[in-house]
Amino acid sequence: MPAAALKPKSKPLPTQSTAKRAVLLDSPYAPVEKRPLPAGRPREWYVTHNRRLKAMRLAIALLDSGVYLPNQARNETIRSAAESVGIHPPSDTTCHMVRALMRYSR
């Protein structure tokens, strides 16, 4: 007998089409509570970590604004997105990282 046949049938979680009430997909979210970074790492680790977070925020902002391809995201475009979101202007390295994130998410 297959192992799948031995498991009890459980009711799937409701989706938009099967829920009795509407499921809010675009509901506002509460940001995750910030925790301090682990101590004892080399300084370069913290710099890289924060750079990755900034690049991720900028990539999301660009995607939300309609910039979907990495070749559309020039440094000036990324820096203007940073200004509109309220982030300090990124360096050339961070801009490169933003384009890499956009490239590999496809």
Side-chain angles (χ1 to χ4, degrees):
M1 180 179 288
L6 298 175
K7 292 184 181 177
K9 301 273 182 175
S10 64
K11 191 173 182 181
L13 295 173
T15 61
Q16 187 72 31
S17 61
T18 61
K20 296 189 188 332
R21 287 180 277 131
V23 178
L24 295 176
L25 299 176
D26 292 330
S27 61
Y29 68 95
V32 179
E33 184 179 330
K34 290 187 177 183
R35 296 180 297 170
L37 293 175
R41 306 249 173 137
R43 185 182 191 310
E44 188 58 36
W45 184 89
Y46 298 103
V47 170
T48 305
H49 175 77
N50 289 330
R51 189 184 305 267
R52 285 181 185 145
L53 291 178
K54 185 175 193 175
M56 199 175 349
R57 279 190 222 104
L58 288 170
I60 291 168
L62 286 169
L63 291 170
D64 287 344
S65 69
V67 177
Y68 300 111
L69 300 174
N71 59 359
Q72 294 174 327
R74 296 186 330 270
N75 287 357
E76 299 82 28
T77 310
I78 296 171
R79 289 189 176 112
S80 67
E83 184 180 335
S84 67
V85 175
I87 302 175
H88 286 286
S91 65
D92 290 342
T93 305
T94 305
C95 291
H96 186 297
M97 195 176 284
V98 169
R99 285 188 289 275
L101 280 171
M102 292 175 75
R103 186 174 302 116
Y104 293 119
S105 68
R106 294 185 124 311

